[in-house]
Amino acid sequence: ADIAMDYAKELGGNQVQYFSPHIYAKIERRMTLEKHLRKALEKNEFILMYQPQVNVIENKIVGFESLIRWDSPQLGRVSPLEFIPIAEDTGLIYPIGKWVIEEACAQNKHWQRLGLPKVSMAVNLSSKQFYDRSLCEQISNILQDTGLEPQYLELEITESMTMDVQVALATLNSFKNMGLQIAMDDFGTGYSSLSYLKEFPIHHLKIDQSFVKDISVNPTHAAIVNTIITLARNLKINVIAEGVENEEDLRLLQDFHCDTVQGYLFGRPVEADQVPEIFARFGKA
Ligand code: C2E
Ligand code: MG
Ligand code: MG
Ligand code: MG
């Protein structure tokens, strides 16, 4: 019934709302996902995929972003855009989020042991995870257990997660004191509290792909991207452009002095066993 109410609200105002078959289908899908999501972790249905982040000046890999996938025998592959919000609502994000950090850290350490270059591993945090008081201790336990040094773990948060500025600042400072890297993800799509950007100990600012995607044909987006890059440079924050798909976009980003990019042009997310080949493709230095 709560879900029905949410959809009714979403549909607008104070009007009486009659449910269409479309709404019933949405509610049913949501309930089915939730039911299977509850068992997904214990049934080992999640995997992480890894997408390279590339320094285009030196043509070398500087990190990977871990991206969760859910392969459900009943539902097929479900996008994180669909199941992460449900995991957030139900609290399932706590165990799932913990599993992601463990898996990502263990994987990065494994690559290091194989002799691959040491690079950072970015992990997306959800809002509930970020505001979980035990997060810092959980992360330091995971680093201890996996043997990964803290500078090789990068935590991605979004602007909307920093709405409670005091708490966000305290947590981010703890991350910083632990020696972790911090990235602001999807930058430009949330409530850009530019004044706080300089207070937060942010190392990387990721420009959202919705701006990057069409910069070579959309002068407004090109202007926004150029401005964000200049802002970040002035604040001494590294910029990562997300969603770089073609050479034209890349050329423009280089004109704007953006050094680090992530996108299909340099590599789609791949499974862990393909990562050594990706390093080989870029040359190991
Ligand atoms: P995000 O963190 O902004 O991740 C980037 C998304 O853009 C990924 O989608 C990636 O596959 C996609 N992408 C990368 N390069 C390109 C490109 O050149 N073109 C296009 N069109 N897309 C590109 P994905 O893997 O479907 O993840 C979607 C979102 O789900 C992520 O956005 C993130 O917000 C969330 N997510 C993924 N994994 C996790 C996780 O482990 N935990 C949490 N809390 N959220 C996650
Ligand atoms: Mg991300
Ligand atoms: Mg993003
Ligand atoms: Mg995101």
Side-chain angles (χ1 to χ4, degrees), residues 28-46 70-76 78 83 86 92 96:
E28 212 178 357
R29 167 84 177 166
R30 154 85 203 216
M31 291 190 339
T32 309
L33 284 169
E34 188 177 323
K35 184 180 98 193
H36 293 297
L37 194 59
R38 290 189 181 280
K39 302 261 185 229
L41 199 54
E42 65 191 57
K43 291 166 76 187
N44 284 315
E45 291 172 4
F46 295 114
W70 176 21
D71 288 319
S72 160
Q74 294 84 10
L75 301 160
V78 185
F83 75 80
I86 300 174
L92 290 167
I96 295 172

Side-chain angles (χ1 to χ4, degrees), residues 81 124 156 158 185-186 208 242:
L81 294 173
N124 292 283
E156 293 195 0
T158 61
D185 199 4
D186 303 343
D208 192 69
E242 291 194 89

Side-chain angles (χ1 to χ4, degrees), residues 119-136:
V119 296
S120 66
M121 172 68 83
V123 169
N124 292 283
L125 294 182
S126 79
S127 181
K128 271 203 177 153
Q129 260 182 302
F130 184 61
Y131 284 99
D132 175 1
R133 288 176 180 282
S134 62
L135 179 66
C136 289

Side-chain angles (χ1 to χ4, degrees), residues 1 3 8 21 70 90 104 109 111 119 124 136 139 146 165 172 183 189 192 206 208-209 220 236 253 255:
I3 300 166
W70 176 21
T90 52
K109 187 67 196 181
W111 291 330
V119 296
N124 292 283
C136 289
I139 291 171
T146 58
V165 174
L172 292 176
T189 60
S192 310
K206 301 185 72 177
D208 192 69
Q209 52 177 283
T220 306
K236 310 255 185 310
L253 286 165
D255 289 346

Side-chain angles (χ1 to χ4, degrees), residues 43-251:
K43 291 166 76 187
N44 284 315
E45 291 172 4
F46 295 114
I47 62 159
L48 290 185
M49 295 192 76
Y50 305 92
Q51 186 178 32
Q53 300 177 326
V54 176
N55 178 311
V56 290
I57 308 294
E58 299 170 48
N59 194 39
K60 94 180 185 195
I61 294 174
V62 293
F64 283 87
E65 179 176 4
S66 62
L67 296 157
I68 195 169
R69 298 289 177 262
W70 176 21
D71 288 319
S72 160
Q74 294 84 10
L75 301 160
R77 178 163 285 190
V78 185
S79 165
L81 294 173
E82 193 177 13
F83 75 80
I84 292 288
I86 300 174
E88 276 264 298
D89 288 352
T90 52
L92 290 167
I93 195 67
Y94 296 116
I96 295 172
K98 183 177 177 216
W99 176 83
V100 170
I101 302 170
E102 285 167 347
E103 183 74 10
C105 289
Q107 192 59 65
N108 199 13
K109 187 67 196 181
H110 177 69
W111 291 330
Q112 292 183 359
R113 289 208 174 98
L114 290 179
L116 296 169
K118 290 186 170 187
V119 296
S120 66
M121 172 68 83
V123 169
N124 292 283
L125 294 182
S126 79
S127 181
K128 271 203 177 153
Q129 260 182 302
F130 184 61
Y131 284 99
D132 175 1
R133 288 176 180 282
S134 62
L135 179 66
C136 289
E137 198 192 334
Q138 180 187 103
I139 291 171
S140 73
N141 289 338
I142 292 171
L143 291 173
Q144 197 131 50
D145 292 349
T146 58
L148 185 71
E149 295 154 284
Q151 67 265 37
Y152 299 114
L153 176 60
E154 185 173 310
L155 300 169
E156 293 195 0
I157 62 160
T158 61
E159 290 165 273
S160 52
M161 286 160 58
T162 63
M163 292 296 275
D164 187 339
V165 174
Q166 290 315 313
V167 177
L169 193 55
T171 303
L172 292 176
N173 278 323
S174 305
F175 289 167
K176 184 191 168 192
N177 293 335
M178 289 165 67
L180 304 164
Q181 300 271 318
I182 303 162
M184 186 69 88
D185 199 4
D186 303 343
F187 189 74
T189 60
Y191 305 87
S192 310
S193 47
L194 293 182
S195 56
Y196 289 113
L197 202 55
K198 68 177 195 310
E199 322 274 346
F200 292 143
I202 303 288
H203 305 96
H204 311 274
L205 203 157
K206 301 185 72 177
I207 308 176
D208 192 69
Q209 52 177 283
S210 60
F211 300 116
V212 175
K213 210 177 272 176
D214 56 358
I215 46 168
S216 54
V217 291
N218 185 330
T220 306
H221 284 177
I224 292 170
V225 169
N226 196 2
T227 303
I228 294 174
I229 293 167
T230 305
L231 170 77
R233 285 173 76 85
N234 289 333
L235 295 173
K236 310 255 185 310
I237 300 173
N238 175 245
V239 175
I240 304 173
E242 291 194 89
V244 181
E245 294 188 357
N246 57 58
E247 298 283 351
E248 293 78 61
D249 295 348
L250 176 63
R251 220 166 296 131

